C-alpha cells in the first residue's frame, strides 16, 4: 500500500528493469524470493511489477500463512507459497516469541524432534525449488534472522541483482543483528540505498 519496494525513483531502477526485460525472453524464469512474506502484500506488489517472474513467498507463522495463501490465490502460476523460514542452511526452526504479534515473529533453530518445528530453507535451496540458478530479487523482512542468514553460505549475494531488507538493531539493541549482513555484502560490488524502512542493495551490472 505504501509501495515500500518501489525503486523507480532511483537511477538504479533503469538497469534493474533492463535486466528483467532482457531475461523475460530467456529460457530460465526469473525468481524473486519474498522472505517473511507475512500476508502476501509484498508478493502481490512484485507480481504486478514483474509479471513474468516466479515469486516464492516464505512465511513461518501458520495464521499468516493461511492469509498469505488466501490473498495470493488469484496469482496462481506467479506466486508460490511456502510455509517455512529463511535460514543460512536447510534445517528446522521454531517461533521464539509466539505472543509478540503477527508482524514481529522471530525464529530460532531447533531439530526434527521438536513438535513446533518449521522447515527452514537456505537461499540456495529456494533457488533450487524455483528451478533457478540464482534469485533476481531477494526481499527480506525477517525480524533479526539476518544475523543467522548472513553468517555463512552467502555466495548467492554475488548472483542477486537486488537484495532489500529491514535492519532490526533498533528492536534488538547491542545484539549486532546486522553485523553479519554488512560483513557478507562488503565482499560484493553493491550500491546501498535507503528507502522508507528498507536498505536496497543493487549489485553492479556486469555486461
Amino acid at each position: 500500500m505504501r509501495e515500500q519496494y518501489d525503486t523507480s525513483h532511483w537511477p538504479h531502477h533503469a538497469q534493474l528493469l533492463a535486466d528483467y526485460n532482457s531475461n523475460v525472453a530467456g529460457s530460465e524464469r526469473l525468481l524473486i524470493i519474498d522472505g517473511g512474506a507475512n500476508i502476501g502484500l509484498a508478493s502481490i506488489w512484485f507480481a504486478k511489477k514483474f509479471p513474468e517472474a516466479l515469486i516464492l513467498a516464505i512465511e513461518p507463522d501458520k495464521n499468516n500463512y493461511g492469509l498469505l495463501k488466501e490473498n495470493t490465490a488469484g496469482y496462481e502460476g506467479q506466486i508460490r507459497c511456502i510455509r517455512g523460514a529463511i535460514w543460512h542452511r536447510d534445517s528446522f526452526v521454531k517461533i521464539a516469541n509466539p505472543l509478540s504479534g503477527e508482524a514481529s515473529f522471530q525464529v530460532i533453530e531447533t531439530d526434527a524432534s521438536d513438535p513446533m518445528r518449521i522447515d527452514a530453507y537456505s537461499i540456495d535451496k529456494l533457488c533450487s525449488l524455483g528451478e533457478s540458478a540464482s534469485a533476481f530479487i531477494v526481499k527480506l523482512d525477517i525480524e533479526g534472522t539476518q544475523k543467522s542468514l548472513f553468517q555463512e553460505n552467502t555466495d548467492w549475494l554475488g548472483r542477486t541483482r537486488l537484495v532489500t531488507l529491514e535492519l532490526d538493531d533498533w528492536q534488538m539493541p547491542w545484539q549486532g543483528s546486522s553485523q553479519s549482513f554488512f560483513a557478507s555484502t562488503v565482499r560484493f560490488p553493491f550500491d546501498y540505498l535507503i528507502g522508507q524502512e528498507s536498505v536496497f542493495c543493487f549489485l553492479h551490472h556486469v555486461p
Side-chain angles (χ1 to χ4, degrees):
M1 293 171 63
R2 291 183 289 123
E3 297 192 334
Q4 180 177 346
Y5 300 105
D6 181 31
T7 61
S8 61
H9 54 290
W10 287 323
H12 300 68
H13 177 79
Q15 187 61 64
L16 185 71
L17 192 60
D19 288 344
Y20 167 75
N21 288 329
S22 67
N23 279 278
V24 164
S27 59
E28 183 177 287
R29 190 178 186 185
L30 288 177
L31 175 66
I32 297 173
I33 296 174
D34 182 0
N38 199 265
I39 64 171
L41 300 185
S43 292
I44 291 171
W45 192 89
F46 282 118
K48 290 181 176 180
K49 295 297 181 181
F50 303 100
E52 300 300 323
L54 171 65
I55 295 105
L56 292 185
I58 321 299
E59 171 57 38
D61 176 65
K62 181 179 179 180
N63 292 333
N64 283 346
Y65 180 75
L67 289 172
L68 168 65
K69 291 278 288 183
E70 182 178 340
N71 289 338
T72 60
Y75 294 85
E76 185 176 356
Q78 282 184 274
I79 300 173
R80 185 186 306 167
C81 301
I82 298 175
R83 170 96 193 276
I86 289 183
W87 204 244
H88 60 277
R89 60 188 177 194
D90 300 332
S91 185
F92 299 98
V93 298
K94 65 180 178 181
I95 293 175
N97 55 341
L99 302 179
S100 66
E102 290 81 359
S104 303
F105 290 130
Q106 300 172 14
V107 297
I108 55 174
E109 194 164 22
T110 188
D111 57 45
S113 66
D114 191 332
M116 303 302 292
R117 69 186 182 278
I118 302 164
D119 290 333
Y121 301 89
S122 66
I123 296 292
D124 287 337
K125 177 64 174 180
L126 292 172
C127 288
S128 177
L129 292 175
E131 300 181 354
S132 179
S134 61
F136 178 58
I137 296 173
V138 173
K139 167 260 173 183
L140 302 168
D141 187 357
I142 52 178
E143 307 301 329
T145 299
Q146 61 266 22
K147 183 176 183 178
S148 298
L149 175 62
F150 291 102
Q151 70 182 26
E152 60 183 62
N153 299 327
T154 57
D155 286 348
W156 59 269
L157 284 164
R159 304 187 297 271
T160 306
R161 293 293 295 121
L162 171 62
V163 179
T164 178
L165 77 163
E166 296 180 19
L167 301 180
D168 299 304
D169 298 276
W170 67 273
Q171 63 178 337
M172 287 170 280
W174 312 121
Q175 296 183 37
S177 67
S178 301
Q179 290 179 12
S180 60
F181 161 71
F182 286 110
S184 296
T185 56
V186 75
R187 299 188 296 120
F188 302 97
F190 282 108
D191 274 11
Y192 302 85
L193 292 83
I194 298 174
Q196 297 190 45
E197 298 177 339
S198 297
V199 177
F200 293 78
C201 312
F202 290 89
L203 190 70
H204 286 202
H205 178 69
V206 178

